[in-house]
Amino acid sequence: RNSSSLRNNNNNSSKLSKIPPPSSAPRRRPDHSGDEEHLDATMPMAYVEFKRQKIKKYPVDGVITPGQYVIVDGDRGQDCGLLVQITAPTSDGKLSVLAMEGSALEDQRLRVEQGRVIRVAEPSEVDMLHNQIAASERNALRACRQKCKEMGLTIEILDCEYQFDMKKISFYFNSDKSVDFRDLLYRTFGARIWMENINPNVKNVVPSGPS
């Protein structure tokens, strides 16, 4: 969806619609037919969607039209996601909200991420995201599932996601207990590993050691 809607809100908080629950669906493509006290209150905020409908909020210099992919600061590197909404205060105290059609979000009190939107992604980078990186994710998912089978781990590996610079890979799994075999996966993939258990009954424990 490349059409956007601009509207003013009389409140100082963003008026955003609910995000669907995370799924293993691939990254969404545009249709071409928190503690924020230290931030400048006049700075626009960008809402960027990554794989699994994950939304992150970043400061941005200037206004970028939603529906474009952007390069953002990631975890010790850079990432790439779809800009779905941007908000900016107006001189009369209202809030201008520019969003992809159908992507307006309810205020979820998203914390502001460290870093910011760096720039609009190049077409070649978007192509890389949906082709080379997506293929690498499919291969990594198969390899991780095979490793679990070899180790006799009865966990369900649901999905994985590479950071755009390929320096980090996140695995999403379902297990009734906390599991950490990042060291083995690091030797397999040569990238930092993040493991997230999506089971709501199990607390995600950030493991010690390299990640």
Side-chain angles (χ1 to χ4, degrees), residues 75-86:
D75 180 4
R76 287 174 274 178
Q78 293 184 351
D79 213 344
C80 181
L82 177 63
L83 178 64
V84 296
Q85 179 164 290
I86 193 164

Side-chain angles (χ1 to χ4, degrees), residues 53-76:
Q53 290 96 41
K54 179 173 57 183
I55 303 290
K56 293 186 177 182
K57 179 180 177 182
Y58 298 89
V60 58
D61 295 320
V63 175
I64 301 173
T65 303
Q68 302 181 81
Y69 280 88
V70 291
I71 302 296
V72 301
D73 289 315
D75 180 4
R76 287 174 274 178

Side-chain angles (χ1 to χ4, degrees), residues 90-163:
T90 62
S91 58
D92 58 3
K94 296 180 181 179
L95 193 71
S96 291
V97 181
L98 185 66
M100 290 178 63
E101 184 179 354
S103 292
L105 315 166
E106 286 295 338
D107 183 8
Q108 298 184 333
R109 300 185 182 278
L110 293 175
R111 67 179 179 87
V112 179
E113 298 291 325
Q114 293 185 352
R116 62 182 55 241
V117 174
I118 300 171
R119 58 177 172 82
V120 174
E122 297 291 339
S124 59
E125 293 172 320
V126 177
D127 181 75
M128 178 180 172
L129 182 70
H130 288 292
N131 290 286
Q132 295 99 308
I133 292 179
S136 295
E137 289 170 341
R138 290 191 293 271
N139 292 335
L141 193 59
R142 285 193 292 268
C144 184
R145 286 169 174 166
Q146 180 61 33
K147 286 291 181 185
C148 289
K149 184 177 180 180
E150 293 171 0
M151 296 170 65
L153 295 174
T154 56
I155 65 175
E156 183 183 10
I157 305 296
L158 301 172
D159 203 2
C160 69
E161 179 180 15
Y162 267 107
Q163 186 166 275

